[in-house]
Amino acid sequence: MRVTQRRFGRDDEAYEVAGPPGHSFTVIPYGAHLVDVQVPDRDGRSASVVLGFGDVESYRAHSDRYFGSTIGRFANRIGGASFELDGRLYELEPNEHPHNLHGGFSGFSAQTWSVAETGPEAGVRFRYRSPAGEGGFPGAVEAFTTYSWSGTGLVVSHEATTDAPTVISMTNHAYWNLGGSLATQRLRVAASEVLDLDEGRIPTGASVPVGDSSLDLRAGPPLGSVIEATGGIDHCYVLDTVDSWVASLDSPATGRRMEVRTDQPALVVYTANDAGPFPRHSAVCLEAHGYPDAPNHPLFPSSELRPGERYTSRTEYRFRSG
Ligand code: BGC
């Protein structure tokens, strides 16, 4: 892995990390965003497989779409923008009124991270110190997001510690498109259930089998047909297995294939139903994290983090072409 610092836009910096031949990614301190991922197609031609911009101003202007950003403190929604922990009520920013989405206005994606380490082993490791009470969340949290290559796998890992009980669930919000129309790209997700959601997209607590419904991605259907049948996916898939290759995206047009492995229990699939300045449904987000709204569902896997504990998450996006 070779890390090169370069200019990004007029006066910001980016870190480009070269992997195997034809593979590189670029990240920036603002929101610890992943701004570019270059991978070869079947003819060896590299191109970016994520939607993104060339300057920080554009990321700020479209911050409500979270292009490539690091999400925290809490991925997806917390219903009513509030939760109770140890008998105390915490009120969060209702940035998707009346709910909290992706940590609120002052979430990790809107913060400028410091560069804790770069190098051939580490890749790029960002650190953010979130003060107690930020966005309404308790506890001062120290968070790290690390981007590196493992062979042709782009590894995104998150870590966090706290000085008081809190909740945490981090993820990356890249919009993937392996080249050519998204409609012809096939998405496989090894999940037999999705979380049931109410009209505000808040989990009811139940899960629903995907069965023969159009949300069933187990056989890897082309996304065009799925989007046509569903109007667009924005669902939380409950993964059948943990810590294995749970999803893949294939582009028949370019021969690129991406396989996803995560140690997280859920994968939100979002077919860019609103892609800001980009065409609707021109990419797909595959966001691995804990269960949405977990702080309000005692039966969901816990999202609590307490002093002395360390939150970790690891997701790998491995590329092949052929
Ligand atoms: C959510 C969508 C939301 C989008 C914002 C996704 O993670 O699932 O509901 O609109 O983020 O970019």
Side-chain angles (χ1 to χ4, degrees), residues 82-153:
S82 68
F83 67 96
E84 258 184 52
L85 180 62
D86 297 340
R88 266 194 66 183
L89 179 72
Y90 294 96
E91 295 195 12
L92 310 173
E93 297 163 350
N95 61 321
E96 192 186 73
H97 190 76
H99 308 303
N100 179 271
L101 174 66
H102 295 327
F105 297 115
S106 56
F108 290 178
S109 55
Q111 307 296 341
T112 299
W113 295 54
S114 59
V115 178
E117 191 182 351
T118 65
E121 297 299 319
V124 179
R125 182 166 158 85
F126 291 110
R127 173 175 51 216
Y128 176 60
R129 292 200 169 108
S130 171
E134 188 175 49
F137 290 95
V141 163
E142 180 175 54
F144 292 92
T145 292
T146 307
Y147 293 97
S148 63
W149 286 107
S150 166
T152 61

Side-chain angles (χ1 to χ4, degrees), residues 64-66 76-77 102 173 175 234 268 270 287:
D64 63 342
R65 302 287 94 212
Y66 304 93
N76 207 275
R77 295 178 175 80
H102 295 327
H173 204 296
Y175 285 65
D234 184 2
V268 166
Y270 177 60
E287 305 154 58

